[in-house]
């Protein structure tokens, strides 16, 4: 399957690729935030670290 770098196919009916979508959106927002506010990097940990922390709570 051919996929562009910034393209991600998701399926609402089959519920496919939602986790990948969430990760890509999170990382894009994180990148923008860190670029604008480099001293606040701690607000957006790596996606996998953020998910692990949510599961603990």
């Amino acid at each position: 399957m051919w996929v562009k770098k910034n393209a991600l196919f998701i399926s609402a009916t089959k519920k496919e690729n939602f986790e990948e979508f969430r990760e890509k959106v999170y990382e894009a927002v994180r990148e923008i935030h860190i670029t604008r506010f480099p001293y606040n990097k701690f607000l957006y940990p790596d996606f996998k670290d953020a998910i692990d922390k949510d599961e603990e709570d």
Side-chain angles (χ1 to χ4, degrees):
M1 176 191 246
W2 178 78
V3 179
K4 286 183 123 181
K5 179 182 175 186
N6 292 323
L8 179 67
F9 296 97
I10 60 173
S11 171
T13 57
K14 295 180 183 178
K15 299 181 181 178
E16 294 176 344
N17 291 332
F18 281 134
E19 283 303 311
E20 291 87 355
F21 174 73
R22 285 180 58 199
E23 183 174 356
K24 283 198 176 280
V25 170
Y26 182 91
E27 292 299 332
V29 170
R30 180 178 184 263
E31 183 70 29
I32 291 168
H33 180 82
I34 290 172
T35 301
R36 292 183 181 172
F37 309 103
Y39 50 86
N40 275 345
K41 186 176 180 179
F42 65 90
L43 292 176
Y44 284 95
D46 287 335
F47 181 76
K48 290 177 178 52
D49 294 338
I51 294 300
D52 291 341
K53 184 180 176 188
D54 285 344
E55 290 175 355
E56 290 176 0
D57 294 336

